[in-house]
Amino acid sequence: MDVRKPAPTLRKIDIKKLAVLAMLTALAYVVMWISKILPSVNGFLDFDFKHVVICIGGFIYGPVSAGLITVVVCFIEMITISGTGPWGCLMNIIGTASFCCTACYVYKKNHTMKGAVIGLSLGVIVMTALMLLWNYLVTPIYQGMPRSAIADMLVPVFLPFNLVKGGMNMAATLLLYKPIVSALRHAKLVPESEGAAPVGGKKKVGFTIVALFLLATFIFLALVLAGVL
């Protein structure tokens, strides 16, 4: 009699994946909470670095996983520290998912450093465009502001805010992805990469310098938008 046993390797991989996703979800929440210390723009637009953690998860496991982490983190944020209710949660999900899922989808198709840069850049563009539309549609509902006032803020406020927010998350993701995923692989929590060419030597150093410069630039612009500088 042919008795088939469950494949322990597959079960072990699934458990590891769930554990890593749970860990990244918790980390994304903590990063979001710490991000609250950053100054806001116009009193309700918050810079948020949880996109970095979610993108790392999505770069490892794909855009669907990035979307799942996004929904879970945004829901927990709504019921714990956010005061904007379901509408604010919806905006949070749209903004985060549009950036992270776009970047992770492109990276999944082109699993290289170039693919990461292109994906994150497209993520910034998609998030900025979508948030202009959704800020116009939804922000008046949960902020109690007339739609005409929101329309007047689209180009001078919402456009630069989302570009700078996306740029900061893009630069931080480019800086942190390799060290974090290498640590996870060293701990045998995630599988080795297949087909990705290693970046080393002068090219790696140059890439890190460019990413640091971009991050510093976008942080400076964020402080300008927030009125700190």
Side-chain angles (χ1 to χ4, degrees), residues 98-129:
S98 59
F99 175 79
C100 298
C101 293
T102 300
C104 296
Y105 177 81
V106 174
Y107 185 69
K108 183 178 181 180
K109 296 296 183 180
N110 185 5
H111 202 64
T112 63
M113 188 60 72
K114 180 180 178 181
V117 173
I118 293 174
L120 289 165
S121 300
L122 286 175
V124 174
I125 295 170
V126 171
M127 180 187 72
T128 301

Side-chain angles (χ1 to χ4, degrees), residues 22 76 87 124 139 147 226:
I76 297 175
W87 287 112
V124 174
T139 301
R147 198 172 302 279

Side-chain angles (χ1 to χ4, degrees), residues 38-47 135 139 142-143 145 149-150 152-161 222-228:
L38 298 173
S40 299
V41 175
N42 274 62
F44 66 93
L45 297 174
D46 295 325
F47 294 105
N135 275 300
T139 301
Y142 73 94
Q143 287 295 332
M145 301 173 65
I150 295 297
D152 292 338
M153 294 169 60
L154 290 179
V155 174
V157 178
F158 291 109
L159 177 62
F161 169 78
L223 294 175
V224 172
L225 287 177
V228 176

